[in-house]
Amino acid sequence: MPAPNAGLLLDIDDVAKTYGSGTLALSGVKAHIERGSFVSLLGPSGCGKSTLLRIIAGLITPTHGAINWAGADQRPGDIGFVFQDATLMPWARVLENVYLPLKLKGVSLQEARPLVFDALERVGLADFAQAFPRELSGGMRMRVSIARALVTEPPVLLMDEPFAALDEFTREKLDDDLLALWQDQKWTVIFVTHSVYESVYLSERILVMGARPGRILSEFTIDAPYPRGIAFRQSTDYLVQCAAVTASLRKGPA
Amino acid sequence: MNGESTSRVTRIIAPLLVGLAFLLLWEGLVHVYDIPSFVLPAPSRIAESFWLNAGSLMGSLWITLKITLSAFLLAVVGGVGLAILFSQSRTVEMALFPYAIILQVTPVVSIAPLILIWVGFERTQLALLILAWIVAFFPILSNTTLGLRSADHNLRDLFRLYGASRWQVLTELQLPGALPYMLAGMKISGGLALIGAVVAEFVAGSGTSSGLAWRIIEAGNRLDIPKMFAALFLLSALGIAIFFILTLIEHLALRRWHESALRQES
Ligand SMILES: Nc1ncnc2c1ncn2[C@@H]1O[C@H](COP(=O)(O)OP(=O)(O)OP(=O)(O)O)[C@@H](O)[C@H]1O
Ligand SMILES: [Mg+2]
């Protein structure tokens, strides 16, 4: 039995956020994230999921509390961030978009090229390196933005509803791809979603959030083994867990 | 495909036909009503005058072109440069922007005499250049400033996440994103530089400079109306050429990625 918190990556310490407009987006959020785990933030629209993710990334500062990192994992480039929409540079080709994080770190294109193609390979878009974002479908753009987050091989991956805009078919495929990558690389993934089914399918742990003010209502551990495939999606266990999570979303604070 | 090429041909042919019909009608009316050429010369008379005065007109065209182009290029350099400065410091922007507006809203005709006196009448061309620059500079400044500020918020965050320097944010994010705005400003400024150069020369009147505006004044004084028209046509042709060249540059720069340059596939 390892010592408690041996694998702790970060600790969300009583975080609150009030926006300039007066909106209390988060209040009293406490949680900890284990290194190498797959954690979902699940909650209805407007409950502060994006806000919390941005605070973890250091993009906005909380009005109260802090994010305490256990290691030296906050160096620039150690966090991969996937936004709610693809957020690509329209003037740059796919290759240049994925190269961006490395370029900003001063890596030459020649040196970066194999890494860029490796990242594109993982999302299945190596053939589209020379395309412009507008020439791709919405799902392909999203995959480019995932490749961009992967290219620095970050130990921590923050994803803000990355597949929300996609059809169910593509989404389930990307879910599986993501899980395969995660198992392969052993990153920590914090995954924001408003889909109960997606969160149960993907996560080891689910933090259920509620709105007004945004806070964590309850927590679930999904201990089905990985790899999870279609068999898990169709199992009774899966449906039971989904029902439990849904119930806690309905009920409010535990 | 077929529809597209038809519409492209129409875009060129239709205005040309209208212009030709207009000239023919003009020629016909002048002859039918026997209008004297010091009131309204027939197009054929204008062409003839153009041919006779080709030397002096082309020389003037060259001078006007030189002033316009230099003013335009300096406006691009100054406008983009100042916009970059503004994007780096809000304080500088707040301190300087009002003066840029003052420069813009003051009619060029009203400051022309002052500039002419300051620069000296023996250097009229320099005065014209300054005046044309003043007119051309503002659209580029204000458009580029807006463009530099319009960078996508999430992309900005992404750059921050990867520890981008100010310089990297400027060159990799803000400037490419501002390009469409800059080019739109340049299209306005190109025309304005020409207007500025011509208006300023009208105010300067006789001097060492002898651009197209001076040819118009000169011909007017001598009641040489056909030559006046010839100079006028040259001026329009120059304006149209500037517009088309800038439109072409815009198209070439943006066609691969920007919404404005995309043609909907159908
Ligand atoms: N920049 C901002 N300025 C002011 N208020 C904001 C800002 N961003 C978010 N908010 C407010 O904070 C609350 C939480 O927003 P947030 O974007 O974190 O929600 P969310 O859970 O991500 O929602 P969704 O699922 O729709 O993306 C909302 O009420 C929103 O109005
Ligand atoms: Mg959100």
Side-chain angles (χ1 to χ4, degrees), chain A residues 80 88 110:
Chain A
L88 302 175
Q110 203 184 346

Side-chain angles (χ1 to χ4, degrees), chain A residues 140-195:
Chain A
M140 289 159 92
R141 276 180 223 160
M142 211 59 230
R143 271 145 62 192
V144 174
S145 109
I146 291 169
R148 180 180 59 193
L150 297 182
V151 79
T152 56
E153 312 236 313
V156 183
L157 193 56
L158 307 182
M159 307 181 89
D160 191 353
E161 302 192 34
F163 311 138
L166 306 179
D167 62 286
E168 206 172 310
F169 191 73
T170 314
R171 181 181 185 153
E172 287 184 1
K173 168 155 191 329
L174 290 182
D175 281 346
D176 285 331
D177 292 349
L178 176 63
L179 275 188
L181 280 173
W182 170 70
Q183 282 200 279
D184 195 41
Q185 306 287 326
K186 282 295 156 205
W187 311 303
T188 313
V189 180
I190 305 181
F191 190 94
V192 167
T193 177
H194 54 227
S195 158

Side-chain angles (χ1 to χ4, degrees), chain A residues 103-124:
Chain A
K103 187 178 196 179
L104 293 177
K105 287 176 131 190
V107 182
S108 74
L109 181 58
Q110 203 184 346
E111 235 177 299
R113 194 175 279 272
L115 301 174
V116 170
F117 273 94
D118 191 41
L120 281 173
E121 205 82 60
R122 287 189 204 169
V123 296

